[in-house]
Amino acid sequence: MDDRLASIVTHARERFPMAVSEPAEAFGEVSVEVARDRIADLSKILRDDAPFELLSDLSAVDYLGVNPSERRFLIAYHLSSPSHPHRLRMRVWIPEGDERCPTVTSVWPTANFHEREVFDFFGITFEGHPSLRRIFMPDEWEGYPQRKDYPLGGTNVQYHGAFIPPPDVRKQPTTTTGYPGRLS
Amino acid sequence: MIGYLHTGIEKNTEVRNWTQGVTFVTRADYLASFFNEAAYCMSVERLLGATPPPRAQAIRVLLMELNRIASHLVWLATGGMELGALSMMLYGFREREQILDIFEFITGLRMNHAFIRPGGLSTDLPDGTLEKVKAFVDAFPAKVDEYEELLTENQIWIDRNRGVGILEADVALGLGVTGPLLRAAGVPHDLRKQTPYSGYEKYDFDVATKTAGDCEARYLVRVKEMRESTKIVGQVIESLPDGPVMVEDRKIAWPAQLALGEGGLGNAPEYIRKIMGESMEALIHHFKLVTEGFNVPAGEVYVPLESPRGELGYHIVSTGGTKPWRVHGRDPSFVNLQAMPHMVRGRLIADVIASVASIDPVMGGVDR
């Protein structure tokens, strides 16, 4: 992490001492964890002071079975700017059973479609969003397809007299170790 | 309009191994297949800590820039047709066909190639590729001149495009709009220059910008980009390094030796002979990598690149297994579509046609 990005994060942590974590660097990318209720306030500071004019991406991850239920969902905000090459990821944890998060559409209007996508696929409600409706699935659809407990769907396919089930219910290889993928 | 082409590409990748993911993401933005493949593979490589060999990187640039020209040609052809310039449609698809022929010669497929793989490429370029590409690069600038002669000073074209669908730089940034739309509004933002990847820093090219922010400016930016991409392709052919096209690590590299046969790309006969007839160890290695794949260290990355439509990024999460935990594509068409209401508010219905055409949305990428 270079000095400029470090000072951006330090500045943000001074403004919101309890709400922003120490920056963590992994794979050359810097992320901070942000308390859910301060995400919109912090976003405004980062947009105006850093400046991170662009919200490149907003997406969610379902950590069902990996994390405890109070850290089941992650929302990742990827910030960038045309004026400098730094990028910053904000991570917000959403607990199971209380799937809501303040919207950042008033800071970056581009979040409108992204938040509708996360709502559609993960069932996370963005409070204050101007028009939170499903965007890909039909309005009357039930369930949230990108959640890990939502099946892939699909049908058995006949092949040479045998029936091959869809890949998510197909028999897995006997070992699940695979090869260690790290370069030695 | 959004949602009718949703095919669950992101969900599907979660039940396949890391290599198979390429065949899914290449179908998202189908006019920019190589960009999807490259962005996905660069993400996986960042998690693996693997760097593809220089030859693989240069070939990726070659394919991506040809792909950018092909994509802009489809935009120019269909956009022209929507505004009544029917001959532009014929010219645009005529030249795009030549690029697709080159792609078919290299990968065996005209679209959805799955040619770029985590760690490099599925196979090297076949003999005679560079001559074919060179012939295209030499002939193409004159074709762009032809398009410009037809359109740039054409009064009807100007009337339909100038001052239409204006998107100011600050509005564009707020709406997350990137690519030619942002550059046409005067912001010289290009990830190939800002954070070069795949060796883009080695090539000499300009970032096309205009300041008007209207449909005409976007047209001029994209035409200039086709010329610049041709320049880059020319430089890649001149400086293409020798060497392997896949990482040395045999625990990542796809075990098969592929060869282009009459039915497309498939296992090379000599390789089949070796694993089936000679080496039990090679067969086991092949079987394990092909059925299970390789593990990718746990973590999350977001790797963006400059696609024909703007910032295309993949946010990929691994929990250390042989399959992705989550793959999310940040598709520029999806984000850029949000600019449409701003462009057309208070304008004529006819301007909606010109404005949407100038956004160049590809619904396969929007819906994924």
Side-chain angles (χ1 to χ4, degrees):
Chain A
M1 183 169 36
D2 75 349
D3 295 345
R4 174 156 180 185
L5 191 53
S7 76
I8 291 171
V9 176
T10 310
H11 174 65
R13 296 194 64 202
E14 279 164 6
R15 293 291 298 268
F16 300 100
M18 303 301 286
V20 184
S21 76
E22 286 268 0
E25 190 169 1
F27 305 104
E29 300 178 21
V30 179
S31 31
V32 290
E33 298 199 354
V34 182
R36 174 167 62 163
D37 51 343
R38 304 316 295 270
I39 182 71
D41 305 328
L42 176 68
S43 295
K44 196 162 181 346
I45 302 282
L46 286 174
R47 180 197 67 184
D48 294 340
D49 297 357
F52 284 114
E53 301 97 332
L54 261 174
L55 174 65
S56 276
D57 187 29
L58 188 165
S59 70
V61 186
D62 181 0
Y63 280 100
L64 178 70
V66 175
N67 283 356
S69 65
E70 66 270 19
R71 286 157 81 87
R72 173 167 174 188
F73 296 102
L74 171 81
I75 302 182
Y77 302 76
H78 293 98
L79 314 185
S80 67
S81 167
S83 55
H84 57 78
H86 307 297
R87 283 178 179 268
L88 180 68
R89 177 188 300 120
M90 299 193 294
R91 313 172 86 218
V92 175
W93 292 103
I94 309 288
E96 188 175 347
D98 182 29
E99 292 95 354
R100 49 187 186 82
C101 183
T103 178
V104 294
T105 45
S106 58
V107 185
W108 295 288
T110 183
N112 187 327
F113 274 15
H114 290 301
E115 289 180 352
R116 281 179 66 188
E117 179 182 339
V118 171
F119 167 72
D120 193 353
F121 285 159
F122 291 89
I124 297 168
T125 309
F126 288 89
E127 293 169 324
H129 189 285
S131 175
L132 195 65
R133 292 168 290 137
R134 287 191 184 268
I135 188 164
F136 293 117
M137 308 305 284
D139 288 341
E140 66 281 6
W141 196 264
E142 284 176 20
Y144 302 105
Q146 284 281 0
R147 287 192 178 187
K148 287 285 176 180
D149 48 10
Y150 189 98
L152 179 72
T155 181
N156 289 341
V157 177
Q158 189 186 353
Y159 182 73
H160 286 258
F163 285 91
I164 315 295
D168 60 332
V169 293
R170 202 175 290 170
K171 192 173 160 226
Q172 296 300 311
T174 44
T175 62
T176 51
T177 51
Y179 274 130
R182 195 181 288 286
L183 286 170
S184 50
Chain B
M1 172 157 104
I2 298 177
Y4 289 96
L5 227 53
H6 176 59
T7 47
I9 286 172
E10 294 176 1
K11 181 93 174 167
N12 264 298
T13 54
E14 293 171 11
V15 296
R16 315 278 177 168
N17 70 35
W18 293 94
T19 308
Q20 287 173 316
V22 177
T23 50
F24 284 87
V25 297
T26 188
R27 283 159 170 80
D29 185 342
Y30 46 81
L31 291 184
S33 309
F34 284 120
F35 291 90
N36 286 284
E37 294 173 21
Y40 172 83
C41 291
M42 281 157 56
S43 311
V44 179
E45 284 155 9
R46 188 175 284 181
L47 281 167
L48 286 167
T51 310
R55 184 175 173 86
Q57 298 200 12
I59 294 174
R60 284 181 184 185
V61 171
L62 175 99
L63 294 170
M64 282 194 283
E65 292 307 323
L66 283 174
N67 203 172
R68 189 187 311 277
I69 298 171
S71 173
H72 280 355
L73 280 174
V74 174
W75 158 77
L76 191 57
T78 57
M81 185 175 65
E82 279 155 18
L83 299 185
L86 266 181
S87 22
M88 192 55 242
M89 194 270 284
L90 298 171
Y91 293 168
F93 277 104
R94 182 185 66 191
E95 267 73 70
R96 174 180 182 251
E97 200 58 33
Q98 297 178 349
I99 298 181
L100 294 190
D101 283 345
I102 293 173
F103 287 168
E104 187 176 5
F105 183 72
I106 297 173
T107 71
L109 295 163
R110 289 154 52 85
M111 296 168 82
N112 307 333
H113 318 273
F115 183 73
I116 299 174
R117 300 278 173 86
L121 305 171
S122 67
T123 179
D124 206 341
L125 299 176
D127 290 339
T129 306
L130 295 187
E131 290 72 28
K132 275 184 192 290
V133 177
K134 179 107 184 25
F136 176 80
V137 168
D138 290 342
F140 188 62
K143 309 283 187 185
V144 185
D145 294 341
E146 199 180 340
Y147 313 149
E148 286 223 80
E149 256 171 57
L150 188 68
L151 297 176
T152 305
E153 285 170 35
N154 180 325
Q155 195 56 46
I156 304 172
W157 186 256
I158 292 172
D159 287 348
R160 290 297 302 274
N161 283 303
R162 190 171 290 172
V164 170
I166 292 175
L167 186 67
E168 303 82 355
D170 53 342
V171 180
L173 280 173
L175 288 168
V177 169
T178 46
L181 278 76
L182 186 58
R183 290 193 282 275
V187 183
H189 180 51
D190 189 323
L191 295 171
R192 292 176 292 175
K193 288 282 189 198
Q194 195 192 42
T195 45
Y197 49 88
S198 295
Y200 267 109
E201 66 279 3
K202 287 184 293 199
Y203 307 112
D204 172 43
F205 65 99
D206 295 327
V207 176
T209 53
K210 288 279 166 201
T211 50
D214 58 1
C215 293
E216 187 191 22
R218 282 168 221 139
Y219 157 75
L220 293 169
V221 163
R222 287 197 179 101
V223 167
K224 177 89 192 302
E225 282 186 11
M226 289 200 277
R227 294 186 192 277
E228 295 300 317
S229 292
T230 318
K231 250 168 69 182
I232 299 174
V233 174
Q235 292 171 51
V236 176
I237 329 179
E238 294 297 316
S239 65
L240 188 64
D242 289 328
V245 294
M246 188 43 112
V247 286
E248 292 290 324
D249 189 339
R250 302 307 297 173
K251 305 292 187 193
I252 295 175
W254 193 249
Q257 307 301 311
L258 298 181
L260 198 58
E262 278 184 8
L265 203 57
N267 286 319
E270 314 85 68
Y271 178 74
I272 297 293
R273 214 168 295 129
K274 181 180 161 219
I275 62 169
M276 297 307 288
E278 293 168 24
S279 168
M280 176 60 107
E281 289 73 23
L283 180 64
I284 295 171
H285 175 74
H286 179 103
F287 185 74
K288 258 186 97 66
L289 255 187
V290 172
T291 55
E292 292 177 11
F294 48 80
N295 280 336
V296 168
E300 71 177 312
V301 292
Y302 175 79
V303 182
L305 52 70
E306 189 70 30
S307 92
R309 278 163 276 283
E311 176 174 335
L312 172 71
Y314 273 89
H315 177 219
I316 290 192
V317 179
S318 170
T319 49
T322 55
K323 293 171 179 153
W325 185 257
R326 168 93 168 112
V327 174
H328 170 75
R330 186 268 189 213
D331 190 274
S333 301
F334 176 62
V335 180
N336 292 357
L337 262 187
Q338 294 189 88
M340 202 269 278
H342 180 83
M343 287 180 184
V344 303
R345 194 164 290 140
R347 307 283 311 203
L348 301 172
I349 295 287
D351 293 347
V352 178
I353 311 292
S355 301
V356 174
S358 77
I359 295 177
D360 188 22
V362 174
M363 297 316 284
V366 171
D367 290 347
R368 284 161 276 136

